[in-house]
Amino acid sequence: GQSLEQPSEVTAVEGAIVQINCTYQTSGFYGLSWYQQHDGGAPTFLSYNALDGLEETGRFSSFLSRSDSYGYLLLQELQMKDSASYFCAVRDQGSARQLTFGSGTQLTVLP
Amino acid sequence: DTEVTQTPKHLVMGMTNKKSLKCEQHMGHRAMYWYKQKAKKPPELMFVYSYEKLSINESVPSRFSPECPNSSLLNLHLHALQPEDSALYLCASSQLLQREGRDGYNEQFFGPGTRLTVL
């Protein structure tokens, strides 16, 4: 089976940089994804890492270290609209098409 | 069209009712999913369809019955639900194949969900 750990809450101010960490345990590994979900909204795909290193998409970057079973989502130049829940998710080779989500990190951006 | 649509947006039903949730996508995705999400919790996978065939059923009670009539549509039939089944029901779709360094199963497109209340 899989398990993921991420902080439950993070607070930062507008314009700041915040990092949301995710550690995982899987029986195999086939990628780490990040999703954003605003209150009352649907999860939205942000990024995916299959290999070690940093992937950058605009203000958001995601990092993976497979040897450490660790990844993070980096949000730069925070804006109020970034206040949302952020989920890491893994797909392991044993589960084929299944994504398992972490418990989520509630990010609050203050003015 | 990069959208997954779901109907209805809200549904209130009694424990003896029969109702259906509907999901539609026109992105040519051949994998479709049903998730259940409780407040302040992550989405929990219920069912996965690939090429219109049920490939994963995560030990979901039989009062939930999925159906995939064609590659664009996914239904979830509800019967004799319990109050604890009240939740947000999310539909998602994805590509099946890896392409250009991306992994279809990791990159899922979610619909807005149906907020279900069972009385």
Side-chain angles (χ1 to χ4, degrees), chain A residues 1-33:
Chain A
Q2 310 99 328
S3 69
L4 300 99
E5 285 192 23
Q6 51 181 129
S8 58
E9 295 179 341
V10 173
T11 301
V13 297
E14 265 190 305
I17 299 172
V18 73
Q19 179 173 311
I20 300 174
N21 298 319
C22 175
T23 57
Y24 59 87
Q25 288 185 323
T26 64
S27 55
F29 180 76
Y30 210 61
L32 180 71
S33 301

Side-chain angles (χ1 to χ4, degrees), chain A residues 71-98:
Chain A
Y72 66 73
L73 180 70
L74 190 73
L75 298 87
Q76 302 182 73
E77 299 171 22
L78 280 176
Q79 302 175 9
M80 298 292 288
K81 67 179 181 179
D82 297 329
S83 292
S85 290
Y86 292 84
F87 296 95
C88 58
V90 292
R91 179 162 92 83
D92 76 17
Q93 292 169 332
S95 61
R97 300 168 184 85
Q98 178 179 346

Side-chain angles (χ1 to χ4, degrees), chain A residues 30-33 35 37 39-45 48 87 89-91 95-99 101-104 106, chain B residues 33 35 37 40-43 45 48 50 55-56 58 88 90 96 98 101-103 105-108 110-113 115:
Chain A
Y30 210 61
L32 180 71
S33 301
Y35 284 79
Q37 186 176 27
D39 275 349
T44 303
F45 172 79
Y48 161 66
F87 296 95
V90 292
R91 179 162 92 83
S95 61
R97 300 168 184 85
Q98 178 179 346
L99 267 188
F101 287 84
S103 55
Q106 177 65 49
Chain B
Y33 313 78
Y35 288 88
Q37 187 177 29
K40 305 296 184 188
K41 297 291 186 183
L45 183 67
V48 180
S50 56
S55 58
I56 295 177
E58 287 294 318
L88 180 68
L90 293 160
L96 278 171
Q98 282 184 287
R102 302 168 80 94
D103 179 89
Y105 297 112
N106 269 288
E107 184 175 352
Q108 297 184 13
F110 283 81
R115 179 75 58 188

Side-chain angles (χ1 to χ4, degrees), chain B residues 2-15:
Chain B
T2 58
E3 194 181 34
V4 177
T5 59
Q6 290 187 243
T7 56
K9 288 185 180 179
H10 300 275
L11 179 62
V12 179
M13 58 188 291
M15 290 190 285

